């Protein structure tokens, strides 16, 4: 099955990945995986890797989960796409299921995280019209990440992502994350309609706010009649040991966005809303050709069902706690480790500085990770099906590689 690919790679010796027809949007690592199963990946040479990245928080159930693969093949042989011009029972059912696990009232399904956030931003603008605000402002957080489309990169509190794409979509203002006084300080701005934030900043470097922070933001939103938009695209769908990370604070946003793990690799995003805000979208105001098609929705239903029936919400909490403890026991004495943090299966190891080619070094050791937080944070996003033995391999490899840095 993989012979063709392997032969092609062999033919292109020394230049294993010719891709002259691809736009240069990524600096790619020199490996190409050909197969995956659970928390394992194999490259074209048959080398095995433990995957502690999961396609950037996507394959929470691991690669080729048998139930999901079965749903995929069944639905592929039944019906893929009809468009939103017609009723889609799987979409309606997924909407109800998503609302049950999130506590939201209504959902709009998209194909990606950025599109889910686009919907959230558009809903905020409709909310502004209801309030009689013509130049609405959304407060976002420094070091946040909300996507790469024009509105979502404008919402992203990182000038590196915005550079050369000006003029940005107005109006976003950025305040310090995990700092309620920074949010209080903008209260006089009567054009503010919403506050948008991640419950744990992922791309920012696995930045976990103090307990009480999200509840504090919720209160400020209530006091000022601002919408609270929580971006759970990376943290959601059981990743942190809750269906959604904000649930551990006992609060609920007005708008919640999700994507990544929702389809375990099949692209799907969701923008959910609560109360009157859930009714602001009306025919003609928003739409998508692909979003919420029978295929993606059936797969997402299957993903949620597997998580529920297997008790994977609690499992993510337990497994994450085990991994964190192992990492703390083995790494906290190393002088180039500054911090080990995170929640559930979303962990970060902050190093004293950025080390070049670190992700590549990990690949050489058979471990897939990624580096975020300005090159200083090793990000671990393993699947919930990762075995105890594989967890050990993650810890041992991280330990070996970090030790080699100071040598
Ligand atoms: C990945 C991510 C996005 C963007 O999702 P895409 O599917 O890549 O568009 C938005 N917000 C957060 C918090 C993310 O982690």
């Amino acid at each position: 099955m993989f012979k063709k690919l392997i032969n092609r790679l062999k033919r292109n010796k020394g230049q294993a990945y010719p891709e002259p027809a691809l736009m240069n949007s990524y600096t790619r690592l020199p490996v190409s995986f050909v197969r995956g199963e659970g928390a394992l990946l194999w490259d074209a040479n048959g080398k095995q890797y433990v995957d502690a990245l999961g396609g950037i928080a996507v394959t929470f159930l691991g690669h080729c989960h048998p139930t999901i693969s079965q749903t995929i093949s069944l639905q592929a042989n039944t019906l893929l796409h009809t468009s939103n011009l017609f009723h889609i029972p799987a979409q309606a059912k997924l909407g109800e299921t998503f609302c049950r696990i999130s506590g939201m009232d209504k959902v709009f399904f998209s194909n990606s995280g950025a599109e889910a956030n686009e919907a959230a931003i558009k809903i905020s603008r409709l909310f502004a019209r209801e309030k009689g605000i013509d130049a609405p402002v959304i407060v976002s957080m420094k070091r946040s990440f909300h996507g790469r489309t024009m509105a979502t990169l404008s919402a992203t509190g990182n000038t590196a992502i915005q550079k050369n794409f000006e003029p940005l979509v107005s109006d976003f203002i950025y305040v310090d994350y995990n700092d309620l006084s920074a949010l209080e300080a903008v209260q006089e701005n009567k054009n503010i309609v919403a506050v948008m934030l991640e419950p744990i900043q992922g791309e920012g470097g696995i930045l976990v706010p103090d307990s009480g922070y999200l509840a504090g933001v919720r209160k400020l939103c209530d006091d000022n009649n601002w919408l609270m938009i929580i971006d759970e695209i990376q943290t959601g769908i059981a990743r942190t040991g809750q269906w959604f990370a904000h649930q551990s604070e006992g609060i609920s946003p007005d708008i919640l966005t999700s994507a990544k793990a929702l389809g375990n690799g099949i692209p799907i995003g969701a923008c959910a809303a609560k109360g009157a805000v859930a009714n602001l979208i009306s025919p003609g105001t928003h739409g998508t050709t692909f979003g919420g098609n029978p295929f993606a929705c059936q797969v997402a239903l299957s993903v949620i069902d597997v998580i529920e029936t297997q008790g994977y919400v609690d499992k993510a909490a337990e497994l994450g706690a085990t991994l964190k403890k192992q990492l703390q026991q083995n790494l906290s004495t190393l002088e180039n480790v500054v911090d080990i943090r995170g929640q559930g299966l979303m962990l970060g190891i902050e190093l004293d500085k950025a080390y070049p080619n670190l992700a590549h070094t990990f690949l050489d050791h058979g471990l897939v990770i990624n580096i975020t937080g300005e090159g200083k944070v090793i990000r671990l996003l393993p699947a919930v099906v990762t075995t105890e033995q594989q967890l050990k391999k993650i810890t041992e490899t991280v330990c070996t590689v970090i030790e080699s840095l100071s040598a």
Side-chain angles (χ1 to χ4, degrees):
M1 192 178 172
F2 308 110
K3 265 195 183 135
K4 253 189 176 166
L5 177 65
I6 292 166
N7 286 337
R8 199 181 74 210
L9 290 172
K10 280 183 181 158
R11 272 201 307 279
N12 292 300
K13 242 185 266 156
Q15 206 206 339
Y17 312 98
E19 41 204 27
L22 298 185
M23 287 194 191
N24 193 23
S25 56
Y26 285 93
T27 306
R28 298 177 201 266
L29 290 159
V31 63
S32 168
F33 301 109
V34 294
R35 189 165 75 85
E37 189 181 321
L40 296 176
L41 283 168
W42 287 268
D43 70 14
N45 298 316
K47 180 176 169 180
Q48 181 185 288
Y49 301 77
V50 172
D51 185 4
L53 179 61
I56 321 179
V58 169
T59 52
F60 177 72
L61 296 178
H63 298 285
C64 302
H65 187 283
T67 310
I68 305 306
S69 297
Q70 198 180 21
T71 302
I72 287 171
S73 79
L74 193 68
Q75 194 59 37
N77 285 293
T78 307
L79 187 65
L80 290 181
H81 177 86
T82 54
S83 92
N84 284 301
L85 300 179
F86 307 98
H87 293 283
I88 303 173
Q91 189 184 113
K93 191 169 172 211
L94 179 61
E96 285 175 33
T97 304
F98 191 91
C99 287
R100 176 168 56 75
I101 63 172
S102 65
M104 296 285 109
D105 290 331
K106 294 187 183 190
V107 196
F108 172 85
F109 290 108
S110 64
N111 310 290
S112 67
E115 284 174 83
N117 283 338
E118 284 279 341
I121 293 163
K122 282 182 74 175
I123 291 170
S124 306
R125 296 237 168 142
L126 292 174
F127 177 72
R129 264 72 226 187
E130 291 224 323
K131 288 178 78 173
I133 293 174
D134 294 328
V137 170
I138 296 176
V139 183
S140 173
M141 300 295 149
K142 290 175 188 167
R143 306 188 69 168
S144 60
F145 182 77
H146 297 297
R148 295 282 193 164
T149 62
M150 279 310 302
T152 59
L153 76 83
S154 302
T156 293
N158 180 344
T159 49
I161 283 171
Q162 298 168 338
K163 190 170 175 257
N164 289 335
F165 295 108
E166 299 87 354
L168 301 179
V169 173
S170 57
D171 272 344
F172 291 92
I173 57 174
Y174 315 93
V175 301
D176 283 329
Y177 188 62
N178 196 25
D179 182 353
L180 288 174
S181 63
L183 200 52
E184 278 162 8
V186 299
Q187 278 181 107
E188 298 113 72
N189 187 334
K190 294 300 167 210
N191 284 331
I192 293 174
V193 292
V195 177
M196 183 171 188
L197 79 171
E198 298 152 86
I200 295 174
Q201 289 190 328
E203 304 304 307
I206 317 290
L207 301 171
V208 186
D210 299 333
S211 82
Y213 172 67
L214 290 179
V217 174
R218 176 71 270 179
K219 183 164 188 311
L220 279 172
C221 287
D222 289 340
D223 292 349
N224 291 285
N225 193 21
W226 299 333
L227 299 180
M228 183 179 190
I229 305 171
I230 300 191
D231 177 343
E232 293 247 18
I233 289 163
Q234 189 161 152
T235 48
I237 315 296
R239 169 68 51 195
T240 67
Q242 305 271 336
W243 273 114
F244 295 95
H246 72 267
Q247 290 167 336
S248 64
E249 286 254 321
I251 55 130
S252 163
D254 300 290
I255 301 179
L256 172 71
T257 56
S258 175
K260 291 197 166 93
L262 183 55
N264 207 56
I266 297 300
I268 181 168
C271 173
K274 212 175 146 91
V277 185
N279 296 318
L280 289 173
I281 294 277
S282 57
T285 55
H286 198 47
T288 164
T289 300
F290 293 131
N293 74 25
F295 181 67
C297 290
Q298 208 62 55
V299 173
L301 275 167
S302 195
V303 167
I304 293 171
D305 187 58
V306 169
I307 294 172
E308 281 194 314
T309 54
Q310 300 297 315
Y312 280 164
V313 179
D314 292 339
K315 181 82 190 292
E318 284 164 30
L319 217 55
T322 303
L323 180 57
K324 195 173 174 182
K325 205 169 121 198
Q326 280 178 14
L327 292 168
Q328 280 164 342
Q329 281 167 353
N330 288 278
L331 298 175
S332 43
T333 53
L334 302 183
E335 59 179 52
N336 39 11
V337 173
V338 172
D339 192 21
I340 298 162
R341 56 176 178 257
Q343 214 169 298
L345 291 168
M346 181 176 186
L347 298 173
I349 301 154
E350 183 173 339
L351 303 174
D352 55 346
K353 60 177 192 213
Y355 291 88
N357 304 318
L358 199 48
H360 193 170
T361 307
F362 274 102
L363 281 181
D364 290 341
H365 284 81
L367 181 65
V368 183
I369 53 97
N370 133 289
I371 310 292
T372 181
E374 289 155 1
K376 287 203 291 196
V377 181
I378 298 170
R379 176 165 54 170
L380 303 175
L381 298 159
V384 74
V385 297
T386 309
T387 63
E388 295 276 330
Q389 200 192 353
Q390 290 160 347
L391 279 192
K392 261 208 184 121
K393 156 95 182 171
I394 294 173
T395 304
E396 281 166 13
T397 310
V398 168
C399 202
T400 307
V401 171
I402 295 180
E403 273 176 339
S404 75
L405 296 175
S406 41

